[in-house]
Amino acid sequence: MEYEFRRNTMTGTVIANFSMDHEVLGFWFVEELGECQDKFKALSQIIEQLQVGSLTQKRWLGKALSLELDSEEVRVFANELDDGLDHEFEDDMSLYNGESEAFCGLEDFQSALLSWREFLDETR
């Protein structure tokens, strides 16, 4: 999983670009986590608890995007994907979730999270 963080020098807004099949992670970092240190600290504690086994899974509900974390994997998904409805499509049709859902390893997510924090600290 590759990613790049940038700050728009004109507006001061942050941008997070992730590789194909992980694009939704960029939206989550910008829209749900943003520059909030309290959220970063809380999420870091959750990851630590998952790694030591004092927590087996956690759901982090956001406004538009949410996380599901366990000791091995993180799922980032648009809240409307979790509507509980079973969507049926014709044989040659399917739902494209590439920009609405992504999976990555917990360690990869933690690494991206730490890189995000470092990026924000350096560009303030």
Side-chain angles (χ1 to χ4, degrees):
M1 174 175 73
E2 295 180 19
Y3 49 86
E4 175 187 30
F5 304 130
R6 292 178 288 147
R7 187 176 292 274
N8 182 320
T9 56
M10 299 293 285
T11 64
T13 58
V14 291
I15 302 163
N17 291 319
F18 279 74
S19 58
M20 191 168 182
D21 292 333
H22 295 100
E23 297 99 337
V24 71
L25 281 164
F27 297 119
W28 183 86
F29 272 86
V30 172
E31 299 299 327
E32 300 292 347
L33 183 61
E35 299 188 45
C36 182
Q37 290 187 14
D38 291 339
K39 288 181 182 179
F40 173 80
K41 289 176 186 175
L43 190 54
S44 295
Q45 289 174 344
I46 290 168
I47 291 171
E48 185 177 309
Q49 291 172 343
L50 289 165
Q51 290 173 328
V52 299
S54 62
L55 187 64
T56 57
Q57 60 184 357
K58 180 71 175 176
R59 180 176 272 207
W60 180 290
L61 192 59
K63 296 174 194 165
L65 300 166
S66 294
L67 293 176
E68 287 179 345
L69 305 99
D70 65 30
S71 63
E72 295 181 11
E73 187 174 63
V74 175
R75 174 185 175 225
V76 179
F77 60 97
N79 291 341
E80 55 271 354
L81 287 181
D82 200 35
D83 60 11
L85 301 175
D86 187 21
H87 302 279
E88 291 188 31
F89 298 95
E90 294 180 27
D91 290 340
D92 59 345
M93 301 289 287
S94 66
L95 183 63
Y96 174 68
N97 292 339
E99 294 178 357
S100 301
E101 180 179 43
F103 295 86
C104 68
L106 183 64
E107 289 181 12
D108 289 339
F109 182 78
Q110 182 182 33
S111 178
L113 185 66
L114 293 172
S115 294
W116 177 252
R117 176 60 27 213
E118 289 173 9
F119 161 76
L120 294 175
D121 289 344
E122 291 172 359
T123 61
R124 281 197 182 135

